[in-house]
Amino acid sequence: MHTVSGGEVAGILVAVFWAILVSFLAVALARLAQTLRATTKLVADVTDQAVPLLADASAAVRSAQTQLERVDAIASDVQEVTSNASALSTTVASTFGGPLVKVAAFGYGVRQALAGRKEEDVPARASRRTVIVGRTVPAARRTKRTFRGKRD
């Protein structure tokens, strides 16, 4: 029988631990390689999907820019129309406003003059007094005026 020395036992233990370490490293490297393959495939898929999405987004941005330019043109046209309408309104008011006010004032004056002549043609009534027990009310307070200035 052969006796095993302490150095041989130590060598066998080192060899076993070395084999276990290499096995763990091989498993870890295999999993790392698998993860790298999956990551590479994922990046390729994302790239394949991202390129068309970026193209669509770029087209959408260009379309939005075109629409904004159109809206800007419309807004400037509306602003110009508004300023033209304001100028026209001012012109009409200054052209016709003054004469219309003068015509209206003249018509009012004529109506007042005619109303005054009619009242002068009618003979004045005799002043009457109304007697309330304990008080005398003058005739001027008894007459009522309507909203058109005629007496009741």
Side-chain angles (χ1 to χ4, degrees):
M1 215 160 118
H2 182 351
T3 61
V4 180
S5 70
E8 292 176 340
V9 172
I12 290 174
L13 285 175
V14 169
V16 169
F17 285 125
W18 185 257
I20 291 172
L21 180 64
V22 168
S23 298
F24 281 130
L25 287 176
V27 169
L29 286 174
R31 288 188 180 175
L32 181 61
Q34 188 178 24
T35 303
L36 285 174
R37 276 193 297 267
T39 304
T40 303
K41 183 178 184 241
L42 179 65
V43 168
D45 290 345
V46 167
T47 302
D48 290 344
Q49 292 176 4
V51 170
L53 287 176
L54 289 175
D56 290 345
S58 177
V61 168
R62 279 193 295 273
S63 174
Q65 180 65 28
T66 302
Q67 294 301 325
L68 284 175
E69 289 171 357
R70 289 180 183 169
V71 168
D72 188 37
I74 290 171
S76 65
D77 290 345
V78 167
Q79 184 178 9
E80 184 178 342
V81 167
T82 303
S83 64
N84 289 343
S86 175
L88 180 65
S89 173
T90 304
T91 303
V92 168
S94 65
T95 302
F96 296 113
L100 286 177
V101 168
K102 290 177 183 175
V103 167
F106 178 74
Y108 178 76
V110 168
R111 277 185 282 147
Q112 290 298 319
L114 291 177
R117 289 194 82 207
K118 286 182 183 177
E119 288 180 6
E120 290 174 5
D121 292 343
V122 176
R125 292 186 198 170
S127 175
R128 295 177 35 194
R129 294 185 176 263
T130 303
V131 177
I132 299 177
V133 178
R135 294 177 65 190
T136 303
V137 179
R141 286 192 183 172
R142 280 185 282 137
T143 59
K144 295 181 184 176
R145 292 197 177 259
T146 63
F147 65 95
R148 292 188 184 157
K150 296 180 183 177
R151 293 187 181 197
D152 285 342

